[in-house]
Amino acid sequence: MDFGNMLGDSIEYAKESVMEKWVKWILLAIPFMTQGYSIQVFKGTKPAPEINDWVANFINGIKLFIVGFIYAIPLIIVAVIFLLGAIFAAMSGMSTGDPTAGFAAAMGAGLIGILLCAILLIIILLLLPIAYVRFARTDSFGEAFNFSAVLGHIGKIGWVSYIIALIVGIIAIIVIEIIIAIPYVILMMIPFVGFLLAFLWSLIMAVPVGIFAARYITQL
C-alpha cells in the first residue's frame, strides 16, 4: 500500500469537502452530521459530495452512531462490571476493617478489567472500519454485523497490511489532533470567552478530521 498517497488523498478530500464552503462546514459540525456525511464517503463518492437532503444526512449519522455503539456494548459491559467489582472490593475491605486487602482486591479487579477492555478495544478497532463501509454500501444493519464477511474482507486486504494501515491512520490523526490542539490551548487562555471559543474550535475542526478518517478507511 502507498500510505503517502492514501494520506495525501484523504487530506485533499477533507479540504475539498469543506474549504470555502462555510455553511456546509458549520452544518456538518452539528452532532451526527459528519457521521451521516461519512456514509457518502464510505461509498467511494468522488469528488467530495454535496448534501442535498440534510434531514436524511442527520438520520444516516444516527444510524452510523448506532452501529458503533452496538459494537462498543461488550466493552461498556466489561468496564462497568470490573469498575463496580473494584468499588465493591474496596468497600468490603473497609467494612471488614482490612482496607489493605480490599485495596489489593480492587487493584486486581481493576487491572484485569483494563486488560480485557484493551483486548476488546483492539478487536473493535479492527472490525469497525469494515463494518462501517459494509453498512454504508448496503444500508443494512445486518451487514454491519456480518462478522464472517467482515473478517473475509480483512483477509482479502491482508491482515498485516490492514493492521499497519490502521496504525498509520491512527498516528496521522494523532498528529493532526496535536496541531489542532495548539490553537485550542491558546484560545483557552483568553479570559471569560476562551472556553467557549476553544469548544467551538474543537467542534468545527472535528469535521475535516472525521472526513479525513472516513476517506482513509474507504481507500483501505
Side-chain angles (χ1 to χ4, degrees):
M1 292 185 183
D2 190 336
F3 298 120
N5 280 340
M6 290 173 65
L7 292 172
D9 178 274
S10 300
I11 291 172
E12 290 302 318
Y13 193 95
K15 289 169 60 179
E16 179 188 351
S17 297
V18 295
M19 195 62 67
E20 299 183 0
K21 301 174 182 178
W22 309 116
V23 174
K24 178 183 178 183
W25 194 338
I26 292 171
L27 289 174
L28 284 175
I30 298 172
F32 304 116
M33 283 301 203
T34 297
Q35 290 95 323
Y37 187 79
S38 294
I39 287 183
Q40 298 301 315
V41 179
F42 288 140
K43 290 179 179 179
T45 306
K46 193 175 182 181
E50 298 302 322
I51 302 176
N52 298 319
D53 189 338
W54 287 95
V55 175
N57 186 81
F58 179 78
I59 294 172
N60 285 335
I62 294 176
K63 290 179 180 178
L64 199 67
F65 171 81
I66 291 172
V67 172
F69 179 77
I70 293 174
Y71 265 88
I73 286 176
L75 177 61
I76 296 170
I77 292 174
V78 169
V80 170
I81 289 174
F82 280 92
L83 176 61
L84 292 177
I87 293 172
F88 288 143
M91 293 176 61
S92 176
M94 294 178 65
S95 64
T96 57
D98 191 358
T100 302
F103 178 75
M107 285 292 293
L111 289 173
I112 294 173
I114 291 172
L115 178 60
L116 290 177
C117 285
I119 293 172
L120 285 172
L121 180 60
I122 291 171
I123 294 172
I124 292 169
L125 288 175
L126 288 174
L127 300 181
L128 197 54
I130 304 300
Y132 278 155
V133 174
R134 291 190 64 81
F135 171 74
R137 297 189 178 185
T138 63
D139 195 25
S140 168
F141 279 107
E143 285 304 312
F145 302 98
N146 185 344
F147 298 114
S148 61
V150 170
L151 293 173
H153 196 101
I154 296 173
K156 290 180 180 178
I157 298 171
W159 278 93
V160 174
S161 297
Y162 180 71
I163 292 172
I164 292 174
L166 289 182
I167 293 173
V168 170
I170 290 171
I171 292 173
I173 290 173
I174 291 173
V175 171
I176 293 170
E177 292 289 357
I178 290 173
I179 296 171
I180 291 173
I182 295 173
Y184 178 90
V185 173
I186 295 173
L187 290 171
M188 285 291 288
M189 295 178 182
I190 300 174
F192 306 113
V193 298
F195 175 80
L196 177 60
L197 292 175
F199 172 75
L200 292 175
W201 169 259
S202 61
L203 200 64
I204 291 297
M205 294 310 297
V207 175
V209 173
I211 296 172
F212 166 85
R215 177 61 185 171
Y216 184 82
I217 289 170
T218 301
Q219 294 183 87
L220 175 60

